[in-house]
Amino acid sequence: MEEQAMLARDLVLRVCAGATELDPHWIRVDGKVTTPFLVPRDRNLVRAVIASGRAMGVERLLVCRTRPEFSYEPVTEIPLDTDTLIDLVRGWGPHPTDFLVCVEDFSAAVLITADDLTIAAGPADFVRELVGADIPQARSHFASRAEIEKTPELVRAARLYRCAGTDPKRVPGPDLHERLAAHGDRFRRGSPKAARALRALRGAWGWAALGVAAIAPIAVSAIAAPVLPVVITLFVVLFQLALIARSRTVSFATLLRTAALGAILLWPLALIEGAVNEAVGSEPLGVVGYTYVAVTVEEIGTLLPLALLPLVALRRARRLAAVDFALLAAASGAGFQLAEHLVTALTVGGTGGGGWFLPGGSGVMDRETGAVVAVFSGHAVTTGLVGAALGLAIVGGGRRLWLLPPLAFVLAFLEHLNLNALLAGAALHPASGVVLNLLGGGALTPFLLVALLVCAVALDYRLIATAAESTPPLPGLPPLAGLRRRARGRAVATRVRVPGDIAPGFRRAALAWAELPVTLTTTLSMIVHELAAATIAARRGPATLGDTWRFLRERRANAMGEARSAGRPWRHHPSQRELTRTARDLARRLGLAATGGVTALTASAAVSVAVVPAMAPHAPAGEPGYALLALDRLQGWFALASTSETVWATLLLASVFILLLSGNGVPHVHPHMRDFLRSPTANTGAVLGMLAPGQVAYAAVGLVGLLLPRAVDRLLVR
């Protein structure tokens, strides 16, 4: 508070729309969580208010009366002491009055009316101290009270703070993806025997496909190189990206299906390249065809699955996190990269780029010195970089963030162009080379992708934290509470010291710097909370672990839908009731039911590029891809192959697609150990159903979790 005492009217005008209402515009700033509730005005309420102040990490609070007749009274600054606040309220007289308790930087406040109505608004940590761990349950309880009592004040508060939810008639209908998912759930519940048989069949053909992929290169001498390393490279690069993207809402199985779609794109993109070359009169292996045509078509074409997603899953697309755009784009690029390397391995040998970190790239080396003169990180990395930039711009919503996608596309374009130009016996224009070197020259692209993913994770968790109004809580109390308190206290102290009359740019920078520790600690706390819940679930067995993984992903998706909707009607999937039921069931199974949803209320491309033809003394380190060239190679190979070789090659390609399309999701059903020991042959189908090749890792993690000590149960507290 300033040296000159702030008047009550100044504080009320900043926070309130009236004596008993908070200002909707103030609530929308920074995505505050708002919850009205009914509670007697007693010591318990005051104690909860002081506890909420401690959760914000502040040392004092601002208090004033909100009625117009007290507008010119000074705001009282009190320490975090229950008796001090009680004495202040008693000093106002025997008649109850409406008053406001606010944090110094106006980031959180509690409006206590003369009746039992109280409204809390601010970060989720602040509100939880007042209404309990399950904020959606508190809001639902208030909406029920308002509907039963029909009091005008309660009905208006429920409508103003959106406690009653959205009118079902205004909720958008399901998209194709949601309808298919609903049919699958009904089939699993309504026909368990048929579902079990299909799971067993899926596991059997998955292992058969893996066997074909391993045996075919040995059985057919015409196949130049093994293909399993190419497939493993795709799994590795997507697994590494998914591991970094902790806030993802898409499953790993979805990423592999997107990769299969990206692989299929090789054929239409090759046809487009051929048509464009014919239209412009360039040779397919000439400089123009190898550079401008190939690079432009491939870099734009690998983004098509991301662009087509709203056509089949519009509602799902509106629940995507920022990292999901990067993962889906990277999966599409990885699939296209898989197809190029697969054709290369089949026809001329080679298995693509090596390395352990985001493998799959290519390079050009100088024949004389052996130095690497051009680096292409691979379609998975470059397409993922553009997707990450798009995710930050779409989910972040800032105009400045929309500068990232063009920059990312320019880097991807120039990096790919540089490689293809050298392979075609040409070189980049000096101006394009300068731009490419400024953007890292290709060597820094994987690290730029990781940096954008980390920023996207922080952005996602920041938005997820603002959606606590409709998102059921995770089991257990959030960890690292002390770290969050210190970060919020530092942020409040910093924001209070930022002058209001400085240049807007400097003020925005100062406020962003003050908010950065809060964003980082919130992100770290949520990641630790989810990992702790999954670790405790792993000790309960593979079934509980699988349910926990699915719940965490669905919870993040619904939270992103709430945050991105900005108050507009949107569609939950699964429904909020079903998600809440799952949260409570998991909390009970993890032994953390006290905070898992049953807690009572505590108080109750603009850069110009050019390719200059010039013979360069460089040679490729491998056989980098070019869609049209890859398709020509594949057609030529099949033209010369015998009937048996054609059959084996067809089975090989089909087996790769089977490994990508099925048997990679978290298992829904696990065999019970007691039944398995009694009748092992009867459970063969269940074992095959949960142990397809892509599901072995899930089973391994679940079995290792059974060996965890009992001490892991103390990672979270009730």
Side-chain angles (χ1 to χ4, degrees):
M1 196 165 60
E2 299 176 358
E3 294 182 2
Q4 183 179 2
M6 176 186 290
L7 296 181
R9 65 173 185 179
D10 299 330
L11 179 55
V12 172
L13 288 175
R14 289 174 182 263
V15 177
C16 299
T20 59
E21 291 181 5
L22 295 176
D23 185 9
H25 176 71
W26 173 78
I27 292 173
R28 285 193 297 269
V29 175
D30 296 329
K32 296 180 180 66
V33 178
T34 309
T35 303
F37 56 100
L38 298 173
V39 65
R41 292 166 51 114
D42 57 10
R43 178 176 288 270
N44 289 330
L45 174 60
V46 176
R47 189 180 294 115
V49 171
I50 299 301
S52 64
R54 291 196 181 95
M56 292 293 292
V58 298
E59 297 179 353
R60 48 192 172 271
L61 297 169
L62 308 180
V63 186
C64 72
R65 289 187 276 188
T66 59
R67 294 183 182 179
E69 56 265 31
F70 308 116
S71 297
Y72 290 93
E73 288 186 353
V75 173
T76 306
E77 190 177 276
I78 65 167
L80 296 181
D81 182 70
T82 303
D83 293 330
T84 301
L85 181 55
I86 291 176
D87 293 340
L88 175 64
V89 174
R90 286 176 177 173
W92 290 335
H95 301 289
T97 184
D98 312 310
F99 68 96
L100 178 73
V101 181
C102 188
V103 178
E104 286 180 289
D105 66 340
F106 316 116
S107 60
V110 183
L111 179 58
I112 302 173
T113 67
D115 300 320
D116 289 343
L117 176 63
T118 302
I119 306 107
D125 286 339
F126 180 85
V127 178
R128 285 193 196 100
E129 296 293 337
L130 288 155
V131 303
D134 197 337
I135 296 176
Q137 185 186 39
R139 291 169 55 83
S140 177
H141 178 72
F142 180 82
S144 300
R145 287 283 301 271
E147 185 177 358
I148 293 172
E149 297 184 10
K150 303 291 185 182
T151 306
E153 292 79 7
L154 300 186
V155 173
R156 175 175 173 77
R159 184 175 65 254
L160 180 64
Y161 305 116
R162 298 184 294 113
C163 294
T166 307
D167 186 358
K169 296 181 180 179
R170 299 181 60 194
V171 174
D175 56 28
L176 177 61
H177 167 266
E178 292 176 351
R179 287 195 292 268
L180 292 177
H183 286 312
D185 291 338
R186 284 196 295 269
F187 177 74
R188 280 191 290 268
R189 290 193 298 265
S191 305
K193 292 184 178 179
R196 187 162 54 248
L198 289 178
R199 290 192 194 100
L201 180 62
R202 180 193 63 194
W205 79 44
W207 285 107
L210 185 63
V212 169
I215 294 173
I218 302 174
V220 182
S221 58
I223 297 177
V227 299
L228 277 183
V230 180
V231 180
I232 293 173
T233 297
L234 179 138
F235 273 77
V236 169
V237 68
L238 291 184
F239 175 76
Q240 290 178 348
L241 292 175
L243 193 64
I244 298 171
R246 298 305 311 162
S247 58
R248 65 184 174 94
T249 70
V250 293
S251 65
F252 192 71
T254 300
L255 297 181
L256 293 177
R257 295 188 190 104
T258 306
L261 180 59
I264 295 174
L265 284 175
L266 177 72
W267 177 69
L269 292 184
L271 295 181
I272 293 174
E273 289 173 358
V276 173
N277 283 323
E278 185 177 352
V280 300
S282 63
E283 292 293 330
L285 297 182
V287 174
V288 175
Y290 217 113
T291 55
Y292 284 119
V293 176
V295 174
T296 303
V297 171
E298 291 177 10
E299 290 301 325
I300 295 177
T302 49
L303 290 170
L304 281 178
L306 191 60
L308 296 176
L309 178 64
L311 297 181
V312 296
L314 178 61
R315 315 301 178 205
R316 182 67 183 90
R318 292 178 177 175
R319 296 193 299 270
L320 290 180
V323 296
D324 294 333
F325 290 89
L327 292 177
L328 291 173
S332 175
F336 185 82
Q337 177 177 285
L338 167 71
E340 289 184 335
H341 290 171
L342 190 63
V343 171
T344 302
L346 185 68
T347 57
V348 299
T351 57
W356 64 271
F357 179 61
L358 301 181
S362 307
V364 174
M365 300 175 60
D366 191 293
R367 289 176 178 176
E368 298 178 356
T369 64
V372 177
V373 294
V375 174
F376 177 55
S377 304
H379 286 286
V381 175
T382 57
T383 311
L385 184 72
V386 178
L390 283 171
L392 285 170
I394 293 172
V395 178
R399 288 180 295 179
R400 294 176 180 83
L401 291 177
W402 280 103
L403 296 174
L404 291 177
L407 288 175
F409 186 81
V410 166
L411 173 57
F413 186 83
L414 288 178
E415 184 178 328
H416 195 180
L417 191 71
N418 185 39
L419 179 79
N420 282 20
L422 291 177
L423 293 175
L428 281 183
H429 188 278
S432 301
V434 169
V435 175
L436 178 61
N437 290 331
L438 288 176
L439 295 175
L444 296 180
T445 306
F447 302 100
L448 292 176
L449 174 58
V450 171
L452 289 186
L453 279 178
V454 171
C455 294
V457 169
L459 172 64
D460 290 338
Y461 277 116
R462 181 176 179 272
L463 292 178
I464 289 172
T466 66
E469 293 180 356
S470 63
T471 307
L474 291 172
L477 292 177
L480 307 179
L483 185 63
R484 294 198 310 278
R485 280 196 300 268
R486 287 191 291 273
R488 291 193 184 279
R490 177 189 176 279
V492 171
T494 304
R495 281 194 291 260
V496 168
R497 292 195 299 267
V498 175
D501 56 351
I502 61 175
F506 291 116
R507 179 171 173 80
R508 283 194 298 268
L511 294 178
W513 177 255
E515 186 66 21
L516 181 61
V518 177
T519 301
L520 295 179
T521 54
T522 300
T523 299
L524 180 61
S525 176
M526 287 188 172
I527 292 175
V528 172
H529 198 170
E530 291 180 348
L531 291 177
T535 304
I536 297 174
R539 189 177 172 274
R540 272 36 176 207
T544 303
L545 179 60
D547 293 342
T548 302
W549 278 337
R550 272 189 297 271
F551 166 72
L552 293 176
R553 193 176 66 248
E554 292 170 350
R555 178 182 179 272
R556 290 193 293 263
N558 278 271
M560 289 304 302
E562 172 68 25
R564 292 183 59 190
S565 68
R568 298 185 301 270
W570 64 285
R571 185 172 185 83
H572 290 264
H573 184 81
S575 66
Q576 189 171 5
R577 179 177 300 178
E578 183 178 350
L579 193 66
T580 301
R581 184 167 58 248
T582 303
R584 295 177 181 177
D585 177 63
L586 283 176
R588 177 185 55 80
R589 291 159 68 180
L590 300 184
L592 298 166
T595 58
V598 292
T599 351
L601 296 178
T602 58
S604 167
V607 178
S608 173
V609 297
V611 176
V612 180
M615 296 305 296
H618 304 305
E623 290 288 343
Y626 171 22
L628 184 57
L629 177 60
L631 186 61
D632 287 341
R633 284 175 175 172
L634 187 63
Q635 290 174 344
W637 189 91
F638 273 105
L640 299 176
S642 63
T643 303
S644 62
E645 291 171 345
T646 301
V647 171
W648 272 105
T650 303
L651 290 175
L652 175 61
L653 296 177
S655 67
V656 172
F657 277 94
I658 288 174
L659 292 174
L660 293 179
L661 292 173
S662 66
N664 298 296
V666 178
H668 285 269
V669 177
H670 297 78
H672 296 287
M673 185 59 67
R674 180 182 303 173
D675 298 336
F676 183 75
L677 292 176
R678 289 178 177 176
S679 180
T681 57
N683 285 272
T684 303
V687 173
L688 281 174
M690 66 165 288
L691 286 181
Q695 294 175 323
V696 172
Y698 301 122
V701 173
L703 293 176
V704 170
L706 294 174
L707 304 177
L708 292 174
R710 189 182 296 271
V712 300
D713 291 344
R714 295 196 293 271
L715 291 176
L716 296 175
V717 297
R718 299 182 180 182

